[in-house]
């Protein structure tokens, strides 16, 4: 997968030089590049923003440097242009799954009071992290890119590394435990050290259902319960 990022602060994306995504980049599974929008401005003072027509607080990113940057990147990347902005559709795990199947993606990071409306003529989609405001699109791009890249085949050791995680199948993830068996008087659930794989599977599924119902009722209501799920919830005391 090739990802190109259009930003005023390329140094913020050094986070991708570490950990799992750094290894994926070294293996050539993922190619992440940053382009500084400021390098494309025709303003002799390197300005990329100006006051909004009609008045108002703050500054607006000018169309010329953004559009020229998009055109330059498009010469070697035919992917969709995705703008990280507050007016976009809310990003979800389902969206991450869809985008992880793309070969090329271009992300545009906004700043200040936003971008000139005419830039939208060159944008394919706008994505938002949620109903809150960030200091810049870079802050939104980092988690979006990370969530997409980790689903690309070969980035993680196996698909099982993410298939049981929260949101992947519509439920929150079950509780996890590791050594020691007893910590501060609290013991690991007996079923997890029983060696009985089917009972462990049932316990984990039940815990996912219960946690989702307790913490994210909105997700639970959307989830289609199977016959086994209903049976597990009814027989929870037997686990």
């Amino acid at each position: 997968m090739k990802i190109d990022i259009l930003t005023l602060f390329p140094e913020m994306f050094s986070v991708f030089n570490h950990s799992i995504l750094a290894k994926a980049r070294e293996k050539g599974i993922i190619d992440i590049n940053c382009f500084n929008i400021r390098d494309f401005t025709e303003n002799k003072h390197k300005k990329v923003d100006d006051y909004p027509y009609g008045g108002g607080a703050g500054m607006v990113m000018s169309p010329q440097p953004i559009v020229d940057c998009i055109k330059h990147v498009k010469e070697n990347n035919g992917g969709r242009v995705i703008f990280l902005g507050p007016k976009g559709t809310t990003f979800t795990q389902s969206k991450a799954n869809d985008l992880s199947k793309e070969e090329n993606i271009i992300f545009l990071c906004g700043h200040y009071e936003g971008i000139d409306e005419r830039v939208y003529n060159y944008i394919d989609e706008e994505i938002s992290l949620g109903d809150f405001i960030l200091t810049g699109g870079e802050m939104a791009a980092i988690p979006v890119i990370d969530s997409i890249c980790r689903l690309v085949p070969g980035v993680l050791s196996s698909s099982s590394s993410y298939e049981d995680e929260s949101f992947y199948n519509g439920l929150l993830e079950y509780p996890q435990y590791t050594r020691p068996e007893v910590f501060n008087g609290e013991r690991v659930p007996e079923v997890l050290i029983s060696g009985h794989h089917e009972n462990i599977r049932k316990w984990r599924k039940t815990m996912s259902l219960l946690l989702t119902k307790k913490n994210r009722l909105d997700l639970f209501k959307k989830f289609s319960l199977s016959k086994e799920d209903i049976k597990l919830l009814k027989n929870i005391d037997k686990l």
Side-chain angles (χ1 to χ4, degrees):
M1 171 181 280
K2 180 176 183 178
I3 294 177
D4 289 328
I5 306 167
L6 284 54
T7 172
L8 293 178
F9 301 97
E11 62 274 11
M12 292 182 67
F13 294 95
S14 62
V15 63
F16 296 134
N17 295 330
H18 306 279
S19 191
I20 293 173
L21 293 195
K23 294 178 181 178
R25 295 177 73 183
E26 291 173 0
K27 295 177 181 178
I29 300 173
I30 296 171
D31 181 20
I32 301 177
N33 306 285
C34 290
F35 293 84
N36 193 331
I37 297 171
R38 200 177 297 277
D39 291 339
F40 294 85
T41 182
E42 295 175 352
N43 183 281
K44 64 180 181 180
H45 300 296
K46 294 294 183 181
K47 281 191 62 179
V48 294
D49 61 344
D50 213 325
Y51 294 103
Y53 277 115
M59 306 288 278
V60 176
M61 290 184 70
S62 304
Q64 178 271 314
I66 299 177
V67 171
D68 283 359
C69 186
I70 291 175
K71 289 181 177 179
H72 173 79
V73 173
K74 277 283 190 179
E75 293 177 2
N76 296 295
N77 185 331
R80 295 167 57 77
V81 178
I82 298 177
F83 175 53
L84 286 309
K87 294 184 287 187
T89 55
T90 303
F91 188 68
T92 63
Q93 184 64 38
S94 176
K95 188 63 179 178
N97 293 338
D98 292 342
L99 291 176
S100 70
K101 298 176 176 63
E102 298 284 339
E103 292 185 6
N104 301 281
I105 306 177
I106 299 171
F107 286 102
L108 170 61
C109 302
H111 246 277
Y112 313 120
E113 293 302 311
I115 59 175
D116 186 293
E117 188 68 19
R118 291 164 290 187
V119 177
Y120 279 96
N121 294 324
Y122 302 85
I123 293 172
D124 298 300
E125 183 177 0
E126 184 172 358
I127 287 178
S128 169
L129 278 191
D131 297 335
F132 53 90
I133 304 299
L134 298 169
T135 55
E138 291 80 10
M139 297 295 190
I142 290 172
V144 167
I145 293 171
D146 181 78
S147 65
I148 293 169
C149 288
R150 66 194 306 279
L151 298 177
V152 175
V155 173
L156 299 183
S157 57
S158 68
S159 61
S160 61
S161 296
Y162 59 76
E163 287 178 350
D164 289 332
E165 292 179 336
S166 294
F167 309 115
Y168 187 83
N169 62 2
L171 297 174
L172 300 184
E173 187 180 9
Y174 49 78
Q176 296 277 17
Y177 295 86
T178 187
R179 292 177 177 78
E181 185 177 329
V182 180
F183 177 71
N184 285 348
E186 186 174 2
R187 184 178 295 276
V188 174
E190 192 66 31
V191 65
L192 296 181
I193 56 177
S194 67
H196 196 299
H197 296 297
E198 179 61 12
N199 286 348
I200 291 173
R201 183 192 68 80
K202 290 181 178 179
W203 181 87
R204 285 176 167 172
K205 185 60 179 293
T206 303
M207 292 300 104
S208 287
L209 290 165
L210 291 175
L211 281 172
T212 305
K213 186 176 182 180
K214 177 184 177 182
N215 298 337
R216 289 293 303 273
L217 187 58
D218 58 321
L219 293 178
F220 186 79
K221 289 180 177 179
K222 295 178 183 177
F223 187 76
S224 297
L225 294 173
S226 66
K227 291 182 179 179
E228 182 191 44
D229 295 336
I230 295 172
K231 185 177 180 180
L232 288 173
L233 290 173
K234 286 182 178 179
N235 299 323
I236 185 172
D237 294 336
K238 298 179 182 180
L239 289 176

